[in-house]
Amino acid sequence: MRVLTRALTIGIAVALTALLHAQGFDLVIAGGRVMDPESGFDEIRNIGIRGRTIGAISTAPLTGRTTIDAAGLVVSPGFIDLHAHGQTAETYRYQARDGVTTALELEVGTADIDRWYADRKSGQLINYGVSIGHIPVRMAVMGDRGPFLPTGPGAHKVASAAEIKEIARRIEDGIRHGAVSMGAGFPYTPAASPEELLEVFRVAGRHGTPVHVHIRRGVAGLKEALALAGQTKAPLHVVHINSAGTTATAEMLAMIAEARKQGLDVTTEAYPYAAGMTEIQSANLDEYEKASVDRVAQLEWPRTGERLTPESFQKYRKAGGPVVLHTNTEEMVNVAIVNPQTMIASDSYWENGTGHPRTTGTYSKVLGRYVRERKALSLMDAIRKMTLMPARRLETRVSAMRTKGRLRVGGDADITIFDAARVIDRSTYREPGLPPDGIRHVIVNGVAVVANGQLVNGVTPGLAVRAQ
Ligand SMILES: [Zn+2]
């Protein structure tokens, strides 16, 4: 009897599957090289998508209402960016063309989780999410009116015991309201005392929420963050190890490996550019006030391409705007990008019509220059750094990440399809808005947002990524 029931069940299942196939899929991606970093799968297959979900990965032909011919192209999980500033319709467009399907602002974050998500609720091109940020919370509590990063008491005023308590309370409130993680940037808040930082790390530790930190520069900066994480059991994510490390990058990656061996939950990320960018008025640049002429000449004003002098530095500091920091070498960036611990994250930055080329070229640059041209990374390793690793960093707290970053039946249909023989970044410091070449199709929740290398207009399939 039991055997009969089982046979019957299987029979029904087979019939059901056949029926579903006969009905076809909403979207079929036909004949692409399907690469899944979780299983190591790397074969030519057809993918059938129904609604927002991958319904089949198959050698058999699949029929769909729409079919993308992916012959000769790589089919990868959509890229997940853990470090994306801007978070506007404009930056979502730039990032979509670079293959990004989920852009998360986890370093600076926001002071008001509910409002941040409500502001984007009408629909976005790609998936989006945010952290509760120590920087903006501190700005709110200390009364700093800087537009994005603190320039007044948020940066320079020591908080009283009551203010520290209020900062910690608001961070905890943000975590309770579904912040993806907690953000911090010690060089942007130089007046935050060790007691204040310990207090906010304690909050993160209690909730098992990762802290995404822009650490102070060099080995001492990493030691400080590792000590805070160790004391409070807060998971730690060190943002852009390339620019935080510069000449000490290799040593700092070894420190992270050692900390992991000791059982600390610590991860890191990098972007593939030797120059950084930030707001010229931020406290992070206070040290250039009294720096040598050579040191100030590391700064470039992107609107004109000029290198700064002590005089022009003062002039532009009064005006405000993004500034390029030429502080690293290609060699050290390479060390950061190829290290197996490092995720790829863009630190995309765009302000009033200009920004950093990493906003538009991070992922295509890694695929074109590091994988194809220099063979510094295998294609699968690069994809893993862009998809599975960031998903895993967040999935303990954010269940939505458990179905992203991999290509499997039942997974989210966030998919990036590119030409591995052609993909390349084209944006430069002078022309940061140039889109890359070779990113052919980008699917977000089953809907194409880039088709044949062009943006699709009028679609907003992007959903909020938020902890429950
Ligand atoms: Zn950043």
Side-chain angles (χ1 to χ4, degrees):
M1 186 60 195
R2 191 180 289 165
V3 173
L4 192 66
T5 315
R6 199 159 157 256
L8 205 65
T9 313
I10 292 169
I12 290 168
V14 168
L16 210 62
T17 311
L19 191 70
L20 287 171
H21 279 237
Q23 283 179 339
F25 292 92
D26 297 322
L27 177 63
V28 169
I29 301 167
R33 177 183 171 190
V34 174
M35 297 184 72
D36 174 46
E38 188 175 49
S39 60
F41 187 87
D42 181 0
E43 306 274 348
I44 306 295
R45 287 290 186 277
N46 304 305
I47 293 185
I49 295 164
R50 197 170 285 118
R52 287 162 35 192
T53 307
I54 297 174
I57 300 178
S58 156
T59 49
L62 302 174
T63 53
R65 279 192 287 137
T66 313
T67 297
I68 292 172
D69 177 10
L73 303 175
V74 170
V75 182
S76 160
F79 306 150
I80 299 168
D81 190 354
L82 298 184
H83 192 154
H85 305 299
Q87 298 282 331
T88 62
E90 185 182 25
T91 58
Y92 295 146
R93 285 197 294 273
Y94 281 138
Q95 291 213 270
R97 294 200 62 181
D98 198 29
V100 174
T101 53
T102 301
L104 306 170
E105 158 59 286
L106 302 185
E107 177 207 40
V108 175
T110 181
D112 188 337
I113 292 293
D114 285 343
R115 186 196 290 172
W116 193 93
Y117 282 104
D119 283 348
R120 289 161 181 78
K121 212 175 143 202
S122 59
Q124 303 300 327
L125 192 67
I126 60 179
N127 303 314
Y128 53 91
V130 76
S131 66
I132 182 72
H134 173 247
I135 301 172
V137 166
R138 190 174 208 280
M139 287 169 76
V141 171
M142 303 302 285
D144 191 306
R145 298 182 194 288
F148 171 51
L149 292 165
T151 54
H156 302 296
K157 196 175 162 219
V158 176
S160 67
E163 286 163 339
I164 291 176
K165 224 174 134 194
E166 179 60 11
I167 290 168
R169 189 194 68 76
R170 292 192 193 194
I171 287 175
E172 185 147 38
D173 193 57
I175 290 172
R176 291 217 170 97
H177 281 81
V180 169
S181 60
M182 179 187 136
F186 300 165
Y188 295 110
T189 55
S193 63
E195 296 75 45
E196 179 180 334
L197 299 181
L198 188 62
E199 196 51 43
V200 296
F201 264 69
R202 273 203 192 105
V203 175
R206 271 204 301 278
H207 291 269
T209 300
V211 190
H212 290 236
V213 193
H214 180 149
I215 60 172
R216 279 182 252 270
R217 201 145 13 96
V219 168
L222 180 57
K223 273 193 184 146
E224 178 189 26
L226 288 172
L228 285 164
Q231 264 177 285
T232 59
K233 303 279 174 286
L236 175 69
H237 182 79
V238 178
V239 305
H240 48 49
I241 192 75
N242 51 305
S243 60
T246 60
T247 51
T249 301
E251 188 183 350
M252 286 161 69
L253 284 162
M255 286 168 67
I256 290 174
E258 185 52 38
R260 289 170 65 88
K261 223 186 282 168
Q262 310 272 324
L264 220 62
D265 180 3
V266 49
T267 53
T268 192
E269 60 172 55
Y271 62 79
Y273 295 83
M277 177 175 273
T278 195
E279 164 56 50
I280 195 168
Q281 292 181 333
S282 75
N284 197 15
L285 276 116
D286 287 354
E287 58 181 298
Y288 286 91
E289 290 277 357
K290 292 199 177 72
S292 66
V293 173
D294 283 359
R295 188 92 203 287
V296 177
Q298 292 180 334
L299 304 180
E300 176 185 336
W301 194 245
R303 289 181 179 134
T304 58
E306 70 186 286
R307 292 299 181 114
L308 299 191
T309 63
E311 295 72 41
S312 58
F313 174 74
Q314 291 301 339
K315 183 179 82 181
Y316 289 129
R317 207 157 201 233
K318 281 197 193 80
V323 66
V324 179
L325 296 82
H326 293 276
T327 50
N328 208 355
T329 62
E330 284 296 336
E331 195 191 343
M332 280 301 132
V333 177
N334 196 69
V335 165
I337 296 294
V338 304
N339 187 285
Q341 299 175 110
T342 315
M343 304 170 201
I344 305 300
S346 75
D347 196 4
S348 69
Y349 187 102
W350 202 262
E351 190 185 318
N352 298 326
T354 188
H356 194 292
R358 66 194 181 207
T359 309
T360 51
T362 288
Y363 294 88
S364 40
K365 184 170 183 180
V366 170
L367 294 171
R369 303 196 194 272
Y370 289 76
V371 175
R372 186 180 61 246
E373 290 178 1
R374 294 184 208 158
K375 302 190 172 22
L377 268 180
S378 76
L379 184 54
M380 189 65 99
D381 285 344
I383 289 173
R384 179 179 301 110
K385 286 166 174 281
M386 299 170 177
T387 60
L388 183 65
M389 287 171 69
R392 284 191 172 153
R393 166 75 285 188
L394 301 176
E395 69 190 14
T396 314
R397 177 168 164 76
V398 183
S399 58
M401 300 309 286
R402 291 176 203 153
T403 45
K404 297 191 187 298
R406 16 323 231 185
L407 282 185
R408 64 174 184 221
V409 173
D412 291 349
D414 291 343
I415 299 174
T416 296
I417 303 169
F418 59 92
D419 184 345
R422 283 194 59 165
V423 61
I424 203 81
D425 62 302
R426 296 194 307 137
S427 53
T428 64
Y429 295 103
R430 293 309 311 283
E431 289 189 276
L434 286 179
D437 201 6
I439 306 280
R440 300 299 298 154
H441 305 271
V442 180
I443 319 284
V444 174
N445 295 309
V447 176
V449 300
V450 171
N452 299 309
Q454 300 297 318
L455 272 172
V456 178
N457 289 318
V459 293
T460 52
L463 298 173
V465 171
R466 193 167 175 170
Q468 274 75 39

